[in-house]
Amino acid sequence: MEKNMFCFQCEQTAGCTGCTGAKGVCGKTADTARLQDELTGALIGLAHAADENAPLSDSTWKLMVEGLFATLTNVSFDDKAIAELTDRVHQEKARLRPDCGGCASPCGHNDDYDMNRLWNAQEDIRSLKSLILFGIRGMAAYAYHALTLGYTDPEVYEFFGKALFALGEDWDMDLLLPIVMEVGKYNLSCMELLDRANTTTYGTPSPVTVPLTVEKGPFIVITGHDLHDLKLLLEQTEGKGINIYTHGEMLPCHAYPKLKKYSHLKGNFGTAWQNQQKEFANLPAPILFTTNCLMPPKPSYMDRVFTTGTVTFPGTVHIDGEKDFTPVIQRALELGGYEEDQQFTGINGGTSLTTGFGHGTILGVADQVIDAVKKGAIRHFFLVAGCDGARSGRNYYTDFVKQTPADSVILTLACGKYRFNDLDLGTIGGLPRLMDMGQCNDAYGAIKVAVALAEAFGCGVNELPLSMVLSWYEQKAVSILLTLLHLGIKNIRLGPTLPAFLSPNVLNYLVENFGIAAITTPEEDLATLLG
């Protein structure tokens, strides 16, 4: 059945234009891409099925969130799991409109949307609809994590329906552009919801130094983004002689009081997601994937990969909704871990990482920061953040951070920080120059800090000595970028390449209205940003 695919939703898409062959750069096949399109088309149809006579229920919203999350890059590679999700969407649509089965009426309430209509649309329409679709896919990831902790927002959920409905309509640019900006607005609400869910459940993060040493004996590596899964794993492994190590975006979990209280949460293993095939190849331990960032496992470690939640890969053991991690625990005991302690390093040779500088911590020393700015000790702030990836050119971010002046502060978040987070940049005004604010969703915290500083100095965010230099890979970065644009933040530098789904006209709109620009060289960009 496999035919050529079309996908251009991630930064590494083939030729910076789109994956069109039998397999995408991320590793998904054309069949998987087709099934994800069918799932998306079913979700658009579900949004069209709703009206005053068939309102969407909480279960419908949750299904929309799960379905959108499953189509995010590096989440689900399992055709069966994707098809089952589509079946559930069809069942939900049938529940909403029980009298529509087999009806030949042209009302469209019972139709799935054909995604080829979107991919083959006029380029500006395709570009705007892609921004909407990829933005709500990223937002769905945050909504999913908040939902797991029991936190929901009816307005955010209703916007998912509104955005999906818009994707199925033949609207012009004037109607689609406001929806694009609304993605940013509601993603901000969604990130705030998740921030509240995480801090209420696990406490306010505080700075912590995390070792890169793996102690001898059985251990489990947990990767992804889901704090709830980590908490359950820590509970189920307590007292069993198994240590837990975070990987990738799970690093910031060490900063939460109710997670770091577990003495067997030992440290961090490895670096960013794109290095997993090399780093996991000879690992004498199982790896638990909790969300996206799964690369197709190599045969050398396929038997050590476990998935849970929405993330799936054929041939691996999937832990279902009951979240009984016994198979992972048993595999850890069987493999036994290292016979002696192993000292690993970051990309730049560091032996530990510091994290936990969330908005609660930074705003707690706001007076100290403001005083340092007024005295001239701090000249500039840089937010160097975003997704990491394998495409050449990402060393730019390491070089950029290394070349920032000694009187500047670097805030960072998401997995892009692994390019430089083991560097020792010293301190400034009694604070470390490099501060890790957490996961990608913690961009909300960076926004809170920026707004608070602007209020303290009586100016707008764009008037602060603050520059944003962002890297992107997948759809959560798209949703965050749209949030920054919704807030009117200008002159963002983006790389290593601009999104393939931005048409020339849409890109010109972003340049003219927001000053968004592609990165060039660290030297040139620093000279421009420092003025």
Side-chain angles (χ1 to χ4, degrees):
M1 178 181 285
E2 189 170 281
K3 297 180 181 179
N4 287 348
M5 66 192 296
F6 176 75
C7 182
F8 63 172
Q9 70 175 11
C10 84
E11 189 272 333
Q12 290 179 183
T13 195
C16 294
T17 58
C19 294
T20 56
K23 181 175 287 188
V25 172
C26 69
K28 71 180 176 184
T29 65
D31 279 346
T32 303
R34 175 183 56 79
L35 288 167
Q36 289 183 341
D37 273 359
E38 289 179 3
L39 172 56
T40 304
L43 290 168
I44 293 172
L46 179 59
H48 277 76
D51 61 19
E52 65 276 4
N53 298 316
L56 300 184
S57 65
D58 286 346
S59 62
T60 317
W61 298 125
K62 293 174 183 177
L63 181 57
M64 278 187 175
V65 167
E66 184 179 354
L68 285 167
F69 190 15
T71 60
L72 205 73
T73 300
N74 294 85
V75 172
S76 182
F77 295 82
D78 191 324
D79 291 356
K80 181 182 177 183
I82 298 169
E84 287 175 350
L85 258 176
T86 304
D87 287 343
R88 286 171 55 196
V89 174
H90 288 154
Q91 291 167 13
E92 185 65 14
K93 189 158 55 173
R95 186 191 68 79
L96 283 172
R97 295 191 168 273
D99 299 330
C100 284
C103 175
S105 168
C107 70
H109 284 309
N110 207 40
D111 294 342
D112 286 355
Y113 178 75
D114 181 0
M115 291 296 289
N116 287 315
R117 290 174 55 193
L118 194 159
W119 306 138
N120 295 317
Q122 189 272 339
E123 66 172 354
D124 294 329
I125 299 301
R126 182 178 77 162
S127 184
L128 292 176
K129 284 192 173 184
S130 295
L131 279 167
I132 295 168
L133 175 59
F134 303 156
I136 61 173
R137 283 178 174 175
M139 189 167 77
Y142 303 141
Y144 181 91
H145 293 311
L147 175 62
T148 298
L149 297 177
Y151 286 73
T152 59
D153 184 334
E155 290 187 356
V156 169
Y157 281 3
E158 287 171 10
F159 179 73
F160 280 121
K162 178 180 179 179
L164 284 167
F165 182 90
L167 293 173
E169 294 297 293
D170 294 325
W171 290 354
D172 61 18
M173 292 183 67
D174 289 339
L175 290 175
L176 290 172
L177 188 57
I179 306 294
V180 171
M181 301 310 294
E182 278 191 294
V183 174
K185 172 184 175 182
Y186 286 100
N187 183 61
L188 179 62
S189 297
C190 198
M191 289 194 297
E192 188 279 330
L193 179 72
L194 180 55
D195 178 83
R196 180 156 36 93
N198 284 339
T199 54
T200 302
T201 306
Y202 303 114
T204 299
S206 59
V208 60
T209 298
V210 182
L212 300 181
T213 302
V214 176
E215 297 179 13
K216 65 180 180 180
F219 67 98
I220 296 169
V221 172
I222 182 169
T223 188
H225 303 74
D226 200 294
L227 277 63
H228 181 62
D229 285 336
L230 173 59
K231 177 67 158 54
L232 294 176
L233 182 64
L234 288 168
E235 290 174 347
Q236 293 178 36
T237 52
E238 192 169 22
K240 294 185 178 179
I242 299 174
N243 291 329
I244 306 300
Y245 294 87
T246 55
H247 172 269
E249 283 274 66
M250 296 298 282
L251 168 66
C253 296
H254 290 272
Y256 287 90
K258 293 185 181 179
L259 295 176
K260 69 179 179 182
K261 72 175 185 179
Y262 290 90
S263 60
H264 61 302
L265 177 60
K266 289 290 186 176
N268 191 74
F269 172 82
T271 53
W273 67 272
Q274 78 277 0
N275 300 319
Q276 64 190 255
Q277 291 179 332
K278 178 181 178 180
E279 293 175 345
F280 294 164
N282 299 304
L283 195 68
I287 309 103
L288 176 63
F289 284 83
T290 66
T291 55
N292 62 311
C293 301
L294 169 68
M295 293 181 73
K298 297 284 189 181
S300 63
Y301 66 92
M302 175 78 80
D303 65 329
R304 288 177 267 132
V305 171
F306 295 80
T307 61
T308 191
T310 307
V311 62
T312 55
F313 194 91
T316 63
V317 176
H318 187 73
I319 308 298
D320 61 19
E322 298 300 318
K323 300 290 185 179
D324 180 357
F325 293 122
T326 298
V328 191
I329 294 169
Q330 291 176 339
R331 193 74 180 107
L333 294 171
E334 291 168 1
L335 290 167
Y338 292 110
E339 293 183 359
E340 301 293 338
D341 292 358
Q342 301 291 312
Q343 178 64 65
F344 295 97
T345 64
I347 289 177
N348 301 287
T351 57
S352 65
L353 306 173
T354 302
T355 188
F357 290 92
H359 61 84
T361 295
I362 296 178
L363 293 181
V365 293
D367 291 344
Q368 187 177 341
V369 173
I370 293 166
D371 185 60
V373 173
K374 289 180 177 179
K375 290 181 177 178
I378 297 177
R379 170 187 172 196
H380 206 85
F381 297 88
F382 294 99
L383 177 64
V384 186
C387 317
D388 205 358
R391 191 191 294 276
S392 61
R394 289 183 178 267
N395 287 339
Y396 163 96
Y397 296 94
T398 309
D399 296 338
F400 184 96
V401 168
K402 285 181 177 179
Q403 294 179 42
T404 53
D407 55 358
S408 64
V409 170
I410 297 92
L411 304 176
T412 190
L413 49 85
C415 62
K417 63 175 168 275
Y418 279 99
R419 293 276 170 175
F420 49 79
N421 65 340
D422 63 324
L423 292 171
D424 183 3
L425 299 182
T427 62
I428 182 172
L431 299 168
R433 281 193 58 221
L434 176 61
M435 291 186 270
D436 174 17
M437 300 190 71
Q439 296 182 341
C440 51
N441 55 283
D442 292 312
Y444 170 75
I447 291 168
K448 282 200 69 170
V449 168
V451 171
L453 288 175
E455 290 176 352
F457 288 111
C459 65
V461 172
N462 289 314
E463 299 170 280
L464 287 172
L466 168 67
S467 300
M468 298 190 181
V469 183
L470 308 180
S471 56
W472 82 282
Y473 173 74
E474 43 91 333
Q475 296 74 67
K476 285 181 286 183
V478 176
S479 62
I480 292 171
L481 178 63
L482 292 177
T483 292
L484 296 175
L485 300 184
H486 157 71
L487 293 169
I489 294 174
K490 297 184 177 182
N491 301 319
I492 296 169
R493 293 295 190 273
L494 184 65
T497 62
L498 294 178
F501 49 82
L502 290 181
S503 68
N505 285 333
V506 172
L507 178 58
N508 286 338
Y509 174 86
L510 296 178
V511 171
E512 291 173 4
N513 288 274
F514 299 99
I516 195 167
I519 59 172
T520 59
T521 66
E523 295 81 6
E524 185 177 336
D525 288 343
L526 276 168
T528 301
L529 295 172
L530 290 171

